[in-house]
Amino acid sequence: TAAPEVPATEAPVLAEGALKTGLAISTSVKKSAAATADAAGKADYDVTMVAVLVDDNGVIRDCMIDGIASSIEFDATGAIATDLTAGPQTKNELGENYGMVAWGGAIAEWDAQAEALANFAVGKTVEELKSGAVSESGYAPEGTDLASQATIYLGGYVSTIEAAVANAKHLGALTGDTLKMATITSIGDSTAANAENTGNAQLNVDVTALTMNGETITSCAIDSVQAKVAFDATGAITSDVTAPVATKNELGANYGMVAWGGAIAEWNEQAASFADYVTGKTADGVANIAITEATKPADADLAASVTISVIGFINLIVKAAK
């Protein structure tokens, strides 16, 4: 007998002017160094965050770039020497306090140079961006308008823009919406080393890219990275600092919430469910999402797909939307 016909799945009908929202985080810890008798060791973090709006032709319609340059220091006894109570600010948040002009004599501060690259990306496909923004050296081609505004190494930022475009999905954004991005960081999960246990220098970075029409969120994407550098009680680094640092979305099932924690869904799935839930709300609406004493969703519909603490998501989205 003939096999039963499987009905074709129809693609969703998109609104006119529909745009894809994309988010990417790239992280390196390769400049981390062990402690010596004369100098503290450090876990060194270089993080880039990019949010984009992209049309169905692959043309970037909006772009935002931010970064984090931070470190956690530890000594040759495995003790942490950095204050762990406050997370580092992003480069955009630091502005002129990042110090490229004051201390390095740069033509412009980092945030202005990153914005110049983001503006250059608008109206271009990834291929057009890659061919126009960087020479083989990874810097803006000499003699170009971009080179007059951005003298920093651009290669890594262009790669992260490319990743954000590749990640972009139709989440509800339309032409005319405003793109926003926010980051919340913490280093409080770090622990010192002792004779029994390896130390952990850990930077947590939570990022959202969202779009707004007036006060209403029209699309939302969330991702997070836990950048960890292990060290022992002599201040020697014991983890591979050259290995790629994957985000929670990139890890997917390998993050292990289902396999090891018996969760109803993996972190990336729960984050996407929460992002979908806040789409259509205002910042105040997000701030007023009901939560339990354990900071988990109190709303039955949301709790059906999101069982993790959502207070961090709420604070992140409110920060972006306000």
Side-chain angles (χ1 to χ4, degrees):
T1 57
E5 288 188 16
V6 178
T9 303
E10 292 187 10
V13 177
L14 298 171
E16 186 175 350
L19 298 175
K20 294 185 283 188
T21 306
L23 174 65
I25 310 170
S26 61
T27 305
S28 171
V29 295
K30 66 182 181 182
K31 293 182 180 177
S32 301
T36 66
D38 304 315
K42 67 172 182 176
D44 184 277
Y45 307 101
D46 181 6
V47 186
T48 300
M49 303 82 73
V50 170
V52 292
L53 283 176
V54 189
D55 67 21
D56 281 339
N57 294 318
V59 177
I60 298 166
R61 294 301 179 190
D62 204 351
C63 179
M64 300 182 74
I65 305 170
D66 203 352
I68 299 166
S70 185
S71 61
I72 297 173
E73 293 191 345
F74 47 88
D75 65 22
T77 70
I80 292 177
T82 299
D83 178 7
L84 301 179
T85 58
Q89 290 182 288
T90 73
K91 295 179 185 179
N92 285 350
E93 289 168 344
L94 286 167
E96 66 181 20
N97 291 325
Y98 186 57
M100 273 179 42
V101 173
W103 302 103
I107 60 167
E109 200 44 77
W110 185 94
D111 58 339
Q113 297 200 37
E115 185 177 17
L117 175 60
N119 291 339
F120 183 83
V122 173
K124 297 178 177 65
T125 64
V126 166
E127 291 308 314
E128 290 168 343
L129 170 65
K130 289 163 71 174
S131 64
V134 289
S135 62
E136 289 184 3
S137 66
Y139 291 86
E142 290 185 17
T144 61
D145 287 345
L146 183 59
S148 69
Q149 302 172 71
T151 57
I152 57 176
Y153 180 82
L154 300 179
Y157 304 119
V158 170
S159 295
T160 310
I161 294 172
E162 181 176 14
V165 171
N167 291 340
K169 296 181 177 68
H170 283 293
L171 301 174
L174 298 175
T175 300
D177 290 353
T178 301
L179 178 66
K180 293 175 175 278
M181 178 170 66
T183 302
I184 292 179
T185 65
S186 67
I187 54 176
D189 288 337
S190 302
T191 54
N194 56 40
E196 290 79 33
N197 298 301
T198 300
N200 175 41
Q202 180 170 329
L203 171 66
N204 298 326
V205 181
D206 299 330
V207 187
T208 186
L210 55 81
T211 54
M212 301 190 71
N213 183 341
E215 295 185 355
T216 302
I217 297 167
T218 56
S219 73
C220 179
I222 302 170
D223 203 355
S224 179
V225 66
Q226 295 174 322
K228 303 176 182 180
V229 175
F231 57 96
D232 65 19
T234 69
I237 291 174
T238 59
S239 54
D240 180 5
V241 297
T242 65
V245 182
T247 71
K248 293 181 183 178
N249 284 350
E250 289 167 341
L251 286 168
N254 291 326
Y255 186 58
M257 273 178 37
V258 172
W260 301 104
I264 62 167
E266 201 46 77
W267 185 95
N268 62 307
E269 297 167 323
Q270 297 202 36
S273 292
F274 187 84
D276 182 62
Y277 182 80
V278 301
T279 300
K281 297 187 185 303
T282 63
D284 286 343
V286 175
N288 290 320
I289 289 174
I291 57 175
T292 66
E293 288 186 4
T295 68
K296 297 179 179 183
D299 175 80
D301 288 341
L302 182 58
S305 59
V306 180
T307 57
I308 57 178
S309 169
V310 294
I311 190 65
F313 290 159
I314 290 171
N315 292 339
L316 180 66
I317 290 164
V318 169
K319 181 178 180 180
K322 288 247 173 162

